[in-house]
Amino acid sequence: MIFRQLFDQASGTYTYLLASRPGGEGLIIDPVLDKVDRYLQLVRELDLKLVKALDTHLHADHITGLGALRDRTHCITVMGEQTKADVVSMRLGDGDKLSIEGLTLNAIYTPGHTDDSYSFVMPDRVFTGDTLLIRGTGRTDFQNGDPRAEYESIFGRLLKLPETTLVYPAHDYKGDTVSTIGEEKAFNPRLQVKSVDEFVDVMINLKLPNPKMMDVAVPANMKIGLAQDEIARRGWAVKAQAAQRMIGASEVALIDLRERGERERHGEIPGSMHLPYASLPESIQEGGVLYQLARSTGKRLLFYCAFGERSAMAVQAAQEAGLTASCHIDGGLDAWKKAGGPLAR
Ligand SMILES: [Fe+2]
């Protein structure tokens, strides 16, 4: 496995780059906007293809690199389903899996620091975001933070992991880079409490100043969605309502770009063909399945995904590949459901 821990000095943020092999797919966790050039250089140097960018929660101390990475690499942005970010490509819930080639992370909902905080578990390690820090815990005094929820997330979830599990947090201000669950259980001063009330007491009496960047970072991190207007302006978008009238039409091929887990959990539009976003590049090239479908049948390709981001990027790529009748459902399955569109399971 390729594993890199990268540091942003200005915010004390740790960013992680993971891949199962050189030349394979890469995942980045908690990227910082100012460091995007550095990440992309490293991605090139390691010969990786960045396919997913994940934020463990909506950050208050730095501007996320999610949007910039998506714009520059066409990767998928990922956050928890509770996030206040306007649009991310994929939202995960407790128990969902986040996969790239050769690697799978289990998402566990660990609110408390914020109400959209998730941790991501691998067999030997856990990315704890700001829920559990090295010899500390994430503050709980803004962004719907809740010390009781944090206690439950730490004691009820994270500390239940095997003691040898490596702990990789989203921040450190003292220079520590990694810990273990066993070490934190024994030596984290905030966890040496006898009850949830004692923990709450500690947390509400921290009296920390607000992060310097908070007034800038939070609004910026809530507005990271891909601008889909340009796609619509070119006539490549179909509103969910109008898409309902196209379903079943013989001249339309409806293509679901989501992953299997998303389809199983959220249902699908009846009659859609499944082609995950990751396999799009080869399928729209000459000889690829979508290319052949569009060329041999003259069908119009109608892409959709969860929120319209993957499909917007897919339309652009398909158009560039010469499949000029491609379009997508604006706002994805989310918009489809809101418009009362039928679902198949
Ligand atoms: Fe945070």
Side-chain angles (χ1 to χ4, degrees):
M1 179 169 83
I2 293 174
F3 175 74
R4 295 299 165 90
Q5 182 176 36
L6 301 147
F7 187 57
D8 174 53
Q9 198 118 34
S11 61
T13 304
Y14 283 129
T15 300
Y16 302 94
L17 177 66
L18 287 87
S20 64
R21 63 173 179 97
E25 291 184 350
L27 159 72
I28 196 161
I29 303 177
D30 288 327
V32 175
L33 179 61
D34 289 343
K35 292 286 191 285
V36 161
D37 286 338
R38 171 67 190 127
Y39 307 145
L40 292 179
Q41 184 192 345
L42 185 57
V43 163
R44 275 193 303 277
E45 288 165 353
L46 299 176
D47 189 28
L48 300 177
K49 178 175 164 34
L50 187 69
V51 295
K52 282 177 184 160
L54 163 75
D55 265 354
T56 51
H57 63 289
L58 198 132
H59 296 283
D61 64 331
H62 67 267
I63 298 178
T64 175
L66 251 54
L69 288 168
R70 177 206 55 225
D71 290 345
R72 291 175 60 179
T73 68
H74 299 138
C75 70
I76 296 176
T77 57
V78 186
M79 287 185 80
E81 61 191 358
Q82 291 82 356
T83 184
K84 307 264 186 318
D86 55 347
V87 184
V88 284
S89 311
M90 182 188 283
R91 289 178 183 238
L92 298 174
D94 186 57
D96 280 350
K97 292 190 187 331
L98 175 64
S99 297
I100 62 166
E101 177 202 352
L103 290 179
T104 297
L105 286 72
N106 289 314
I108 55 171
Y109 182 42
T110 50
H113 168 60
T114 65
D115 61 358
D116 70 342
S117 290
Y118 276 76
S119 298
F120 292 86
V121 184
M122 292 178 72
D124 68 336
R125 65 194 66 201
V126 56
F127 300 95
T128 54
D130 289 349
T131 304
L132 177 60
L133 304 174
I134 300 173
R135 308 300 191 265
T137 57
R139 61 192 298 174
T140 55
D141 55 340
F142 52 72
Q143 290 183 285
N144 293 327
D146 176 352
R148 272 175 204 279
E150 182 162 283
Y151 179 93
E152 192 39 52
S153 295
I154 294 173
F155 285 87
R157 306 293 302 267
L158 294 173
L159 297 189
K160 298 262 162 78
L161 294 169
E163 299 219 332
T164 53
T165 308
L166 298 168
V167 172
Y168 285 105
H171 287 96
D172 193 86
Y173 309 100
K174 316 171 296 296
D176 291 321
T177 54
V178 61
S179 179
T180 65
I181 289 294
E183 224 178 286
E184 290 311 307
K185 235 185 226 176
F187 306 116
N188 188 321
R190 299 233 181 117
L191 307 185
Q192 311 310 311
V193 291
K194 291 193 180 58
S195 66
V196 58
D197 292 325
E198 198 184 329
F199 182 79
V200 170
D201 218 47
V202 172
M203 294 308 293
I204 59 179
N205 287 305
L206 290 176
K207 309 227 168 17
L208 298 165
N210 278 349
K212 285 188 287 272
M213 287 276 287
M214 185 163 160
D215 295 340
V216 179
V218 172
N221 291 339
M222 284 169 70
K223 223 183 155 312
I224 58 170
L226 174 109
Q228 293 181 28
D229 339 357
E230 180 55 23
I231 303 283
R233 215 180 47 75
R234 295 186 183 183
W236 299 343
V238 178
K239 292 276 176 214
Q241 206 84 51
Q244 285 184 43
R245 293 189 291 271
M246 295 165 75
I247 300 314
S250 58
E251 68 276 14
V252 175
L254 185 64
I255 296 140
D256 184 355
L257 296 167
R258 294 170 305 151
E259 297 181 3
R260 193 149 52 99
E262 295 176 276
R263 286 161 59 87
E264 284 165 2
R265 209 175 122 151
H266 302 287
E268 63 189 79
I269 300 178
S272 47
M273 162 182 171
H274 184 214
L275 194 128
Y277 179 75
S279 55
L280 184 81
E282 72 187 57
S283 66
I284 55 174
Q285 297 312 318
E286 211 174 328
V289 53
L290 288 185
Y291 187 93
Q292 289 310 115
L293 176 73
R295 283 292 152 95
S296 63
T297 63
K299 280 184 197 281
R300 185 170 188 199
L301 304 181
L302 176 56
F303 293 103
Y304 78 96
C305 59
F307 301 98
E309 271 204 350
R310 277 169 280 186
S311 57
M313 294 191 283
V315 169
Q316 207 143 12
Q319 290 281 348
E320 279 162 19
L323 304 176
T324 52
S326 312
C327 54
H328 84 129
I329 301 180
D330 205 42
L333 191 73
D334 183 53
W336 173 266
K337 282 183 183 170
K338 284 175 183 155
L343 285 180
R345 293 268 173 188

